[in-house]
Each structure stands twice: as C-alpha cells, then as structure tokens.
C-alpha cells in the first residue's frame, strides 16, 4: 500500500482557512488521493477525493501538486465542528479496501 | 435515514462469551467492510464483502466470523471473546466508480465493545 506522510497535529483558529498537507512521494499513476475525517466518537467521514486536477466540494478543496507527490486539503473557513483527525489516503484504482494511516489531529481554537 | 447503521452502539460482555454486531446499509453499495479501531485510535480493516462474497480477510483470528445474508447486510460474530478484542468496530460500505476507482466509503457510527 502506497504511503502518505502527514503532520501528527495542527492547530488553527475559528473562521480562518486551514491547509492540511500530505506527502505521497511514491504515488503511482492509478492512485486516487482521498481525504477522510473522523470527528470525536464518530466513524470516518468522506471529505473529498481526486486524481490529478484540483477538486472543490461543499466541504473543502483539494489541491494536488503537478507531480502528484503531495496534496493539500483546504478548509476555507474553519469552524469548531471541523476539529477532527484528517486522513490522507492513497486508494489505487481497483483497490478493495481503504487503508488508514495515523492522520493529522486538527484542533480549532475559538 | 441512516446510511450505514450498526447495532448495538455499546456492548459490555465477559471474557469467553459469544457476541454479534449487526450492520445494514441502505445506499445500494456493492461492498461492505468491518474495521477495528483500537485504543491507540489506529483504524485497521478486518473483512470486506462484495455482493455477499468474502474478498478480504486480513489475518483476523478464526473467532471472528462475518456473515453477509445479502448485499445490504454484514454481521460480525465473535466467539470466545478476549480482553484484547475490546475496541470500536466500524462497519462501512462503498461502491465502484466508472473509472474503476472505489469511492464513497460510508461508515457507521461504531460499536464500542468492552470485554471484562
């Protein structure tokens, strides 16, 4: 399973943008980049995914480097509800499972 | 409407007992999973079923036996429970994209199992 590297923890302030980095230098051409988050006492929740181009949805934006060796999840205006562990996951085309790493614990300060 | 629902939410039981956790999804997904999250919060896949067929068994002890009566249900039965089985168990489901990618993993809210 291709590996990703994320900071163990990050802190940000409410109503400010948050940029969560992820390195995946061994990514292959058929690996999709997925982001999930896990709020306290809940199951993981899909945030966004992409292959090569940047992606936007109502929750977040995903910026993918041109060489695809890194990506950044952008929360445009953090709220206290965004405090969670964020997982960056490489999911190969045809993969039958999602493999979680350690993730980044995001703390949002009021 | 809950997309992936699992019951019970909490389960406290004695060592040696047998217990089951049930999971149902109403998303029309073709694949279902069981994940285990231990006390260090590490999420690890246990089983995957695609259209009622076992696809993945990640070297889980034989005491754990999944059963999928149909595409929408995946239950987990655990025999002879041990202290080390204490964890949160998550059921999930996903479907196939047209590009061959698997996405839209949707997780239940978890079952906290405590073995005493």
């Amino acid at each position: 399973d291709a590996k990703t590297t994320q900071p163990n923890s990050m802190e940000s302030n409410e109503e400010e943008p948050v940029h969560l980095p992820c390195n995946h230098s061994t990514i292959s051409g058929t690996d999709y980049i997925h982001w999930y988050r896990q709020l306290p006492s809940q199951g993981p929740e899909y945030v966004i995914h992409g292959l090569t181009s940047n992606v936007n949805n109502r929750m977040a934006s995903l910026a993918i480097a041109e060489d695809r060796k890194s990506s950044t999840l952008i929360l445009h205006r953090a709220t206290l509800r965004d405090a969670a562990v964020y997982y960056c996951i490489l999911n190969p085309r045809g993969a039958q499972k999602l493999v979680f790493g350690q993730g980044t614990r995001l703390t949002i300060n009021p | 409407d809950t997309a992936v629902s699992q019951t019970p939410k909490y389960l406290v039981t004695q060592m040696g007992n047998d217990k089951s956790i049930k999971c149902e999804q109403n998303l029309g997904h073709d694949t279902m999973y069981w994940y285990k999250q231990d006390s260090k919060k590490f999420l690890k896949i246990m089983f995957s079923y695609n259209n009622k067929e076992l696809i993945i068994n990640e070297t889980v002890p034989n005491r754990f036996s999944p059963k999928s009566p149909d595409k929408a249900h995946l239950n987990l039965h655990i025999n002879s429970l041990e202290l080390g089985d204490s964890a949160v168990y998550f059921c999930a489901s996903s479907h196939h994209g047209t590009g061959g990618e698997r996405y839209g993993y949707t997780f239940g809210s978890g079952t906290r199992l405590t073995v005493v």
Side-chain angles (χ1 to χ4, degrees):
Chain A
D1 297 319
K3 263 185 84 81
T4 62
T5 306
Q6 300 177 253
N8 286 336
S9 61
M10 286 183 64
E11 218 172 303
S12 187
N13 296 322
E14 207 177 0
E15 298 187 7
E16 289 182 1
V18 180
H19 290 235
L20 293 157
C22 181
N23 285 323
H24 28 78
S25 56
T26 58
I27 192 170
S28 76
T30 57
D31 287 341
Y32 286 78
I33 302 161
H34 285 239
W35 283 82
Y36 280 74
R37 71 180 186 180
Q38 188 173 19
L39 302 169
S41 302
Q42 293 190 32
E45 173 188 34
Y46 169 79
V47 178
I48 201 165
H49 81 285
L51 185 62
T52 55
S53 307
N54 294 345
V55 185
N56 300 301
N57 67 21
R58 63 173 180 81
M59 283 180 78
S61 295
L62 175 59
I64 301 173
E66 204 169 321
D67 63 4
R68 299 185 73 233
K69 291 181 190 267
S70 65
S71 61
T72 303
L73 180 72
I74 303 164
L75 307 178
H76 294 286
R77 208 161 159 263
T79 69
L80 295 178
R81 233 198 129 263
D82 291 320
V85 178
Y86 286 78
Y87 298 96
C88 170
I89 301 169
L90 296 185
N91 200 228
R93 181 179 290 136
Q96 298 286 354
K97 61 185 178 182
L98 207 56
V99 179
F100 289 82
Q102 295 292 345
T104 296
R105 181 171 297 278
L106 176 66
T107 302
I108 304 294
N109 300 315
Chain B
D1 258 356
T2 306
V4 178
S5 59
Q6 47 182 117
T7 54
K9 196 168 169 62
Y10 299 97
L11 192 48
V12 181
T13 188
Q14 290 189 326
M15 269 196 322
N17 283 351
D18 303 339
K19 289 293 175 188
S20 291
I21 307 173
K22 294 187 173 181
C23 179
E24 175 182 4
Q25 55 99 0
N26 62 5
L27 298 166
H29 287 175
D30 60 3
T31 304
M32 295 185 71
Y33 310 82
W34 278 109
Y35 279 80
K36 178 181 179 181
Q37 188 165 41
D38 58 26
S39 56
K40 293 184 179 169
K41 304 294 186 186
F42 187 56
L43 265 163
K44 191 167 161 32
I45 187 162
M46 300 172 69
F47 300 103
S48 163
Y49 268 75
N50 180 272
N51 287 319
K52 302 196 302 173
E53 280 191 44
L54 180 66
I55 301 296
I56 293 172
N57 179 341
E58 290 280 323
T59 59
V60 176
N62 290 340
R63 300 181 295 103
F64 290 80
S65 51
K67 285 225 170 29
S68 181
D70 55 57
K71 254 175 41 166
H73 294 84
L74 180 62
N75 304 323
L76 183 65
H77 188 76
I78 316 170
N79 289 327
S80 305
L81 277 154
E82 301 176 357
L83 292 176
D85 297 332
S86 295
V88 181
Y89 292 84
F90 289 100
C91 178
S93 67
S94 74
H95 58 174
H96 240 123
T98 51
E101 78 278 22
R102 186 155 287 283
Y103 68 99
Y105 287 79
T106 305
F107 287 77
S109 55
T111 296
R112 182 174 294 277
L113 172 66
T114 304
V115 182
V116 297

